[in-house]
Amino acid sequence: MRDEEGEPRVRLIVARARAAQEAFAGASQETVDLAVTAAGWAIMEPRRNRALAEQAVRDTGLGTVDDKFDKNHRKTLGLLRDLRGARSVGVLTDDPDTGITEIARPVGVVAGLTPSTHPVATPINYIINALKGRNAVILAPSPKGAGVCARLLDHVHDELAKVGLPADLAQMLPPPASKALTMELMRQADLVLAAGSQANVRAAYSSGTPALGVGLGNVAAIISPNADFQATAARIAVSKSFDNATSCSSENSLVVIGDAWRPLLAALAAEGGVLATPEERSQLEAAMFPSSKLSPAVVAQSAPRLARLAGLDRDDYAACRFIMAHEDTTHVGSRHPLSGEKLSPVLTLYRVADFDAAIAQVRAIYDYQGKGHSVGVHGASPQEILRLGLELPVCRVIVDQIHSYAVSGAFDNGQPFSMAMGCGTWGGNGFSDNLTYRHFLNIIRIVRPTTPRQPRVEDVFDDYWRRYGR
C-alpha cells in the first residue's frame, strides 16, 4: 500500500526530523536531560494536563477526564523518575573484568503509532524516551487522537524552545491520517514503535523497518482462599474501573478458587460490582459482541452506560462501577467472547476447585487471547506464585497489587514506568520487558583482550564421563 501523493509529504517530515536529530546527536547528557525535563513539563503542568485530558475524552469518547489527568501525571512523573540520572550519552559502562565498554548512540528517527485509548500518555512516553536517546520522533496518532496529539506537541515545542532545541525533534503526521501515510512513515523511519491494535503491530512488523510492537491484553487474575478479600476487591475495582478499563492491563477475568467465591463476591459487591443474572449475561454479551466482535460503541464506556446499551434495567446498575458475569469453566474461546478482552468495565468470573485448576483455567483463557502479557494473583503462597512464572505463558506475574497500575510501573514496585509492554514470543513480540529508553539506543561494545579463561576439556566433561562414559 503506497500513497504517491502522500509520500513526498512524509519524506519532507522525515527530512526535517533527520536534520534536527543529526544536530541533537551531538548533545551532552546535560542537554539531553534538559530536553527530557522540558517535554515532561509540557504535560505535567496541571492546567495543560487538565485541558489535554478534557480534549482526549471529548475527541475520542473514551474514558474519563479525571482518570486521564491522573494517568498523564502519574505515568510521566514515574518515567521522569526512572530517567533521572540514567546515562544515555557516551560511555554507559566500562568493565575492567570483561574488558567491555558500552557506548550509547541514537537510533535516529523513531515512528510512534499511538492508540485512541491513550492519546496523550503514550505519545509523551514515546517523546520523552526518544529524546533521552538523542533521537527525533514522528507520531502517527489514531484519527480520533490526532487533535489532542497536535495540542500536546504544541506544548512540547514551547518547552523545547525554552532550552534552545528545535521543534522538529517531535512531530506528527498531518491529519487526515491514512494507513498508506502511516505505512510510508514506517518505511522511512529507523525504528517503529506500535501500540494499540494488533493490526498496527502487524503492519509495523511488516514495514521492513526494525519494529517493537506489543501483544494483546486479556488479563486473568487468580484469587486464593487465603486472600484478604476486602483489599483484593478494592484493588480489582480500581484496576477495572480506572479510565473505564481502557488499559490492556485491566483484569478481564477472575479465576476464583473454592471457598474464596462467596466472600470475594461480597467484597466485590461492596466495591460497586454488580453480578449479572444468566439472562442479563446473555444480553450483555449480545450487546458487546454483535457478530462475535467487540463493538466500538462499548469500548471504554462506564458500567451504567454499558448496562443501558445492553438493556439491563435493574436499579443496581444505575451507579455500579463494574459488571460481573459468571461463566462455566468450559466457556472459553471464540464461541464465548466474554472470555476475551473487553476494554470495558466488565469482569468474567470462573470458579475452580484448586490452584492446579486455576492454572489450567488461565492457560485455557490465554490460549484463546492474551498469551504473553501478565497474570495477577492474590493471596497465593510463595511456591504458588513461583509456579505461575514457571508454568504460564506470561512475561509478568503481578502479586497482590492493582494490576493496571503495577504492570506498567508503579511507585511501590520495581517495574519501569512504560506505556508499552512486550509480551515475548508468546505474544508475537520481539521483547518481553517494558519499553524503556534503552530500547531507543544503539549500544556499541568495545571489546578488549583479557586474561585467557579457556577451560581444559577435562574440566567440562569430567562429570559427564564419570556418569555416561566417553
Side-chain angles (χ1 to χ4, degrees), residues 91-421:
V91 175
L92 300 181
T93 64
D94 189 12
D95 188 339
D97 292 333
T98 63
I100 293 176
T101 300
E102 291 187 333
I103 298 174
R105 300 268 296 279
V107 299
V109 175
V110 178
L113 281 60
T114 65
S116 57
T117 47
H118 309 296
V120 178
T122 297
I124 198 63
N125 183 278
Y126 286 175
I127 291 168
I128 290 173
N129 277 314
L131 292 175
K132 184 70 174 181
R134 295 177 292 168
N135 304 293
V137 60
I138 302 171
L139 301 169
S142 67
K144 289 182 179 180
V148 72
C149 185
R151 188 172 189 173
L152 170 66
L153 282 174
D154 285 342
H155 297 320
V156 170
H157 294 161
D158 288 344
E159 297 301 322
L160 288 178
K162 292 179 183 178
V163 296
L165 291 172
D168 286 344
L169 286 173
Q171 301 180 68
M172 63 177 277
L173 286 180
S178 72
K179 291 181 180 179
L181 280 180
T182 301
M183 181 59 75
E184 191 58 43
L185 171 63
M186 291 191 291
R187 287 193 190 102
Q188 295 189 32
D190 300 303
L191 174 68
V192 178
L193 308 174
S197 72
Q198 289 300 291
N200 277 354
V201 174
R202 287 192 293 271
Y205 282 142
S206 64
S207 67
T209 301
L212 294 171
V214 299
L216 182 67
N218 186 29
V219 170
I222 296 171
I223 293 86
S224 163
N226 297 319
D228 178 330
F229 298 113
Q230 287 185 328
T232 297
R235 296 182 200 117
I236 292 168
V238 170
S239 181
K240 193 58 190 170
S241 62
F242 184 78
D243 205 22
N244 291 340
T246 54
S247 173
C248 64
S249 302
S250 290
E251 295 90 339
N252 277 278
S253 298
L254 302 183
V255 179
V256 187
I257 299 174
D259 293 340
W261 182 259
R262 290 188 183 279
L264 179 68
L265 283 182
L268 289 169
E271 292 291 337
V274 173
L275 181 64
T277 66
E279 294 77 15
E280 290 171 336
R281 181 193 65 213
S282 297
Q283 286 178 247
L284 185 66
E285 182 178 293
M288 293 182 68
F289 294 93
S291 304
S292 298
K293 292 185 178 180
L294 183 65
S295 168
V298 305
V299 171
Q301 303 304 304
S302 69
R305 175 166 171 74
L306 281 176
R308 291 193 298 272
L309 289 172
L312 310 182
D313 54 8
R314 211 169 6 124
D315 291 344
D316 293 348
Y317 290 109
C320 68
R321 294 173 73 187
F322 54 97
I323 300 170
M324 300 178 286
H326 180 201
E327 283 279 26
D328 187 272
T329 55
T330 61
H331 288 185
V332 175
S334 58
R335 294 179 58 190
H336 306 283
L338 287 178
S339 64
E341 187 175 40
K342 295 172 274 293
L343 290 174
S344 54
V346 175
L347 271 172
T348 305
L349 273 57
Y350 298 94
R351 187 177 186 180
V352 297
D354 53 32
F355 202 80
D356 286 341
I359 289 178
Q361 189 68 35
V362 173
R363 187 180 290 113
I365 293 168
Y366 289 171
D367 280 343
Y368 170 50
Q369 267 184 17
K371 191 178 289 187
H373 194 285
S374 59
V375 65
V377 63
H378 300 267
S381 69
Q383 293 78 17
E384 290 169 333
I385 293 166
L386 188 60
R387 281 188 64 190
L388 299 179
L390 291 171
E391 298 180 32
L392 285 177
V394 294
C395 294
R396 300 157 193 86
V397 178
I398 305 301
V399 181
D400 296 327
Q401 294 172 73
I402 299 172
H403 202 103
S404 65
Y405 289 10
V407 167
S408 55
F411 292 109
D412 57 356
N413 74 27
Q415 280 281 88
F417 279 83
S418 178
M419 291 299 295
M421 280 64 68

Side-chain angles (χ1 to χ4, degrees), residues 450-463:
T450 63
T451 302
R453 294 178 297 142
Q454 180 176 340
R456 298 181 309 151
V457 172
E458 292 82 356
D459 294 334
V460 173
F461 289 102
D462 185 57
D463 180 64

Side-chain angles (χ1 to χ4, degrees), residues 74-93:
R74 183 166 39 83
K75 293 299 184 186
T76 306
L77 182 61
L79 176 60
L80 294 172
R81 182 208 67 180
D82 290 349
L83 297 186
R84 194 173 185 181
R87 287 208 58 81
S88 60
V89 175
V91 175
L92 300 181
T93 64

